[in-house]
Amino acid sequence: HLIIARTPDAPPGVKGISLFLASKFEIKDDGSLGSRNDFRAGSIEHKLGIHGSPTCVMLYEDAQAELVGELGQGLPHMFVMMNAARLQVGVQGVAIAERAFQQALAFSQERKQGRTVWEADGMIYGHPDVRRMLMLMKAKIEAARAICLTTGVLSDLARLAASDEERAAAKARQELLTPIAKAWSTDVGVEVASLGVQVHGGMGFIEETGAAQHYRDARIAPIYEGTNGIQAIDLVGRKVGMEDGGVMRALCAELALTAESLTEVPDLAAVGRRLAAGVAALERATDWLLANRGADSLAAATPYLKLAGDVIGGAMLGRQALAAAGSDDPWMKSKGALARVYSSQVLSLAPGLADGLMDGALDMEATSAAALAP
Ligand SMILES: Cc1cc2nc3c(=O)[nH]c(=O)nc-3n(C[C@H](O)[C@H](O)[C@H](O)COP(=O)(O)OP(=O)(O)OC[C@H]3O[C@@H](n4cnc5c(N)ncnc54)[C@H](O)[C@@H]3O)c2cc1C
């Protein structure tokens, strides 16, 4: 077990936290196992979801543990694991969303209800609103997957690119994208799993179909490995400010080039136009954040992260659509359709999101718990 704990004479605050390793059995010098260490699971938590993964309250009484790394460096050591884990939890969001989508797609082709607008053997797949949900699910999954894969590639390039300059650039962008990969993708996991329940109608609320389990299981991912609120604060507090906003601005400039390329392809011109408006909104919000620190930027953090994820995800779908343009293969053709649906359902809202977040924290600061109480 890896544990963070304080030593008796540790200084207050995070500098007093160290990292320890407690093995279940004592390991003797000759490598053989000795007596059992004095720790145990006090209870197993009853949770909303992920019932296949027991979460325990651990009781360490007279347990023996070895220091890992340096005394007082527990948090920096733990962050080596946390940085990788954030991306991995983002991937969990994608994975659960994908499972929820596959199940919803299958159900939509088995369930008959009402007179359908489109031919689908009378199945609910023939209803425009059901198809809208399915395409939105798929588009968000593809966007989140692309953000996570890009962050993974950047983490490889940060170590392995040919020059110091390329490694430093990859590392900066990886740091910028990591909180977005974690928070945006896990929010997508919950949204898509919720849409999966909706596609099932009443049967989505009944455990028998399994759709509800995906929704319950998806709900932990925005919470653990640092809540999505904390990811957003990391984004606006440390990442957006890197190089005086230069890392975010360089990314926006690349997204704007994708928008330009999209506008030159007739079938994708609307995607390009909405992406350009989204990038402009993200740039405005970034300038505002850099000029407004403190409570204003903290109150704007979560909508800003959503805006960034929505726009970056849209650009990645746009690039996929550009790569697939001209192909007759149905799967490749779906890339253009998914980019268009995403642009009408998600990117079109980006300017409003930017406008709203720039209202800042005034009303939140001025309110009181008593005024909000019923
Ligand atoms: C099923 C499960 C498994 C877990 N597994 C592990 C594990 O293996 N290892 C491990 O170490 N931990 C684990 N955790 C703990 C988990 O990482 C924490 O629960 C999570 O990081 C949130 O911390 P918290 O519960 O203390 O919430 P709190 O920090 O109390 O947060 C409560 C609310 O306040 C907000 N908030 C808190 N601080 C701020 C701030 N400064 N600014 C703005 N908003 C703030 C949060 O975003 C949240 O909305 C697990 C938790 C669960 C539920």
Side-chain angles (χ1 to χ4, degrees):
H1 293 250
L2 275 168
I3 309 153
I4 50 171
R6 281 177 189 286
T7 45
D9 49 356
V14 294
K15 288 197 175 130
I17 295 175
S18 303
L19 184 65
F20 297 91
L21 181 69
S23 62
K24 190 167 172 183
F25 292 95
E26 176 198 356
I27 302 170
K28 294 186 182 159
D29 289 344
D30 66 359
S32 63
L33 297 184
S35 54
R36 203 187 183 294
N37 209 346
D38 194 1
F39 62 76
R40 64 192 164 86
S43 68
I44 295 184
E45 305 288 8
H46 301 280
K47 304 197 297 276
L48 178 67
I50 58 165
H51 295 149
S53 161
T55 304
C56 312
V57 174
M58 293 299 297
L59 302 174
Y60 296 88
E61 276 148 9
D62 256 332
Q64 303 293 308
E66 281 179 51
L67 179 69
V68 178
E70 286 174 47
L71 202 63
Q73 291 294 304
L75 276 194
H77 292 332
M78 193 183 73
F79 265 91
V80 174
M81 180 274 287
M82 287 278 287
N83 283 332
R86 284 178 183 194
L87 176 56
Q88 288 154 8
V89 172
V91 173
Q92 263 179 30
V94 176
I96 248 183
E98 176 66 41
R99 182 66 194 93
F101 168 72
Q102 288 181 13
Q103 185 163 333
L105 181 64
F107 183 85
S108 73
Q109 295 167 88
E110 292 164 5
R111 169 75 174 154
K112 262 192 179 149
Q113 185 68 279
R115 191 137 56 92
T116 58
V117 174
W118 295 314
E119 180 49 47
D121 293 329
M123 303 299 167
I124 60 168
Y125 183 71
H127 293 306
D129 190 53
V130 171
R131 209 160 303 175
R132 176 195 63 81
M133 288 192 276
L134 289 166
M135 290 188 80
L136 184 59
M137 290 166 85
K138 177 84 181 177
K140 286 200 168 189
I141 293 167
E142 295 292 283
R145 181 177 283 131
I147 290 178
C148 288
L149 282 174
T150 303
T151 311
V153 168
L154 286 166
S155 84
D156 288 346
L157 289 174
R159 285 181 298 118
L160 303 170
S163 68
D164 285 350
E165 219 174 30
E166 286 167 285
R167 284 194 293 275
K171 184 153 179 45
R173 183 157 304 174
Q174 179 208 345
E175 286 180 2
L176 178 73
L177 287 186
T178 296
I180 301 171
K182 194 277 176 180
W184 195 78
S185 305
T186 56
D187 283 343
V188 161
V190 175
E191 282 169 44
V192 167
S194 174
L195 281 168
V197 171
Q198 197 68 21
V199 168
H200 283 75
M203 283 311 288
F205 206 71
I206 309 289
E207 290 292 351
E208 186 188 322
T209 60
Q213 185 189 328
H214 300 316
Y215 189 34
R216 288 187 279 101
D217 287 351
R219 196 61 190 83
I220 186 59
I223 295 171
Y224 62 13
E225 292 311 338
T227 62
N228 285 1
I230 296 296
Q231 305 299 325
I233 288 171
D234 177 45
L235 178 66
V236 302
R238 294 199 291 139
K239 306 300 172 62
V240 172
M242 286 189 295
E243 298 173 19
D244 287 332
V247 181
M248 185 47 127
R249 286 202 187 95
L251 175 62
C252 285
E254 280 177 32
L255 305 181
L257 288 179
T258 301
E260 227 174 279
S261 305
L262 286 161
T263 48
E264 285 160 15
V265 180
D267 279 357
L268 300 171
V271 181
R273 182 171 48 75
R274 292 198 181 110
L275 178 60
V279 175
L282 183 57
E283 284 172 328
R284 276 198 306 283
T286 302
D287 289 343
W288 180 88
L289 272 182
L290 291 167
N292 293 275
R293 310 308 285 169
D296 279 335
S297 74
L298 293 173
T302 291
Y304 178 81
L305 188 148
K306 175 169 167 48
L307 173 65
D310 285 356
V311 173
I312 296 166
M316 290 186 176
L317 286 182
R319 283 177 59 190
Q320 292 177 14
L322 283 170
S327 170
D328 281 334
D329 177 80
W331 188 84
M332 295 287 266
K333 278 173 86 164
S334 79
K335 294 284 176 189
L338 290 172
R340 284 188 291 276
V341 166
Y342 184 96
S343 90
S344 62
Q345 302 270 317
V346 181
L347 281 178
S348 58
L349 306 178
L353 202 49
D355 181 47
L357 73 86
M358 290 189 277
D359 279 358
L362 209 59
D363 280 311
M364 296 165 209
E365 190 176 358
T367 199
S368 65
L372 294 176

